[in-house]
Amino acid sequence: MAKTPNYIKAAFLLPANLVGLTTAAMSSAVTQEPLPMMVALGVEGVYLAVLSSMKRFQRAVRAKEPDNPEAASAAVDALLADLAPSQRDHYQQLVGLKEKILANYRKLPAGRVLAASSEPKLDALLTSFLRLISALNQYRTYLSGSDREHLTSEVTALEAEVAEEPNPRLKDVKGKRVEILRKRLMRFEQAGESREVVSHQLAGIEDLMRLTHEQSIAIRDPESVNRQLDVLSAETEATDETVRQMERFLDFTEETSAPLPHGGTRVR
């Protein structure tokens, strides 16, 4: 049975978290006041609970497990669990192509060694495919869960109010609201562009896998395999960077939209 990583420990050991705790401790020591450290510890509890429960953080922790086939398999299963049945079928088709490619490589001179060295690169590309689909699904949820047309109308109406507002204080407050709403609209545009990029990258991975399979059928030169694998590695790096960008975007969105506890305090 695969050992479950300690996600709370991983969250605690993140450099940014350790720096924050150290800063709070130094502040309390210098001022001789326990309040900064007490506040930091309170925030720390919420931080550890939230971050350690996030699926993307858990996947990142599992991905860093050294030479652990069970952890790697569990990470793939976790990614697959988030996909629609049709998406899982699509992935399985690519896994079938991978097996055919390796089978063709084994027919070459020293083919078993060649197949063994090729498999990790093919697996890396398949992992990128899964991560891209997962990020794409989350982007679709974000875009469908927000009313962009209503937001655009609100910006237009508020801009008109700002232009006609005679009260300086109200004009300033409304102007700041307009700036915030414009930033939200910009994020819609960024999300839409990123979604299109990912869609093309997913299609590119599929095309590349099919091309590699077709070339493996008639290949006779092991050196040609190395050139193909270099192309696979380059594509993996490109898609991984896209995933990192999308996850940074989605992490920001989750942070700014996370619900706060309500109830227990009455407004009087």
Side-chain angles (χ1 to χ4, degrees), residues 90 94 97 101 122 125-126 129 199-215 231-232 235:
H90 207 159
L94 296 184
L97 283 177
I101 291 168
L122 291 167
L125 191 61
L126 290 173
F129 183 84
S199 295
H200 285 292
Q201 284 187 317
L202 285 169
I205 290 176
E206 183 176 356
D207 292 340
L208 187 56
M209 288 289 289
R210 294 188 184 283
L211 176 62
T212 303
H213 172 240
E214 291 166 0
Q215 292 176 335
V231 174
L232 294 176
E235 183 64 22

Side-chain angles (χ1 to χ4, degrees), residues 235-254:
E235 183 64 22
T236 299
E237 292 176 7
T239 55
D240 283 350
E241 177 58 29
T242 299
V243 170
R244 284 191 290 269
Q245 292 175 1
M246 296 181 77
E247 290 183 341
R248 284 194 293 269
F249 177 96
L250 291 166
D251 284 338
F252 175 84
T253 300
E254 288 184 356

Side-chain angles (χ1 to χ4, degrees), residues 37-82:
M37 194 60 197
M38 291 174 63
V39 171
L41 291 175
V43 173
E44 179 74 4
V46 177
Y47 156 81
L48 292 176
V50 172
L51 186 61
S52 64
S53 64
M54 291 176 61
K55 290 184 178 181
R56 282 194 300 282
F57 177 74
Q58 293 177 358
R59 287 199 295 266
V61 172
R62 288 194 295 267
K64 293 179 181 179
E65 290 287 306
D67 300 325
N68 190 336
E70 292 182 337
S73 178
V76 170
D77 290 343
L79 285 168
L80 286 172
D82 291 336

Side-chain angles (χ1 to χ4, degrees), residues 184-199:
R184 289 184 62 195
L185 282 175
M186 287 179 61
R187 291 184 68 76
F188 270 111
E189 294 176 2
Q190 294 171 4
E193 292 173 0
S194 297
R195 184 176 64 175
E196 186 173 358
V197 168
V198 170
S199 295

